[in-house]
Amino acid sequence: MAANMQLATAAQNAACNAVVDALDGGSAAGTIKVYDGSQPANANTAVSSQTLLATFTLSSTAFGSSSSGVA
């Protein structure tokens, strides 16, 4: 089996737009939070002893639609 996976442009755009939509936050602003300390094991592991260092608030349209898999 080949180890060189390739995605069609439509699939790249769909994946990119899904991430962008999550960051945009829909009608409300999305946020990106930066913490110190060790990274949790995965995205489902709660933040515990890490200290919040900064919160970046994004507008509801922080990114445009993707083109060639790039927003």
Side-chain angles (χ1 to χ4, degrees):
M1 176 157 72
N4 184 11
M5 184 175 94
Q6 297 183 14
L7 296 173
T9 302
Q12 293 173 5
N13 289 339
C16 187
N17 284 333
V19 172
V20 164
D21 289 347
L23 289 172
D24 280 348
S27 60
T31 58
I32 297 175
K33 295 182 179 185
V34 179
Y35 293 87
D36 73 351
S38 300
Q39 180 176 340
N42 59 54
N44 297 315
T45 304
V47 173
S48 56
S49 62
Q50 297 86 346
T51 301
L52 179 63
L53 299 175
T55 300
F56 299 96
T57 302
L58 306 173
S59 69
S60 61
T61 55
F63 299 93
S65 295
S66 65
S67 175
S68 299
V70 177

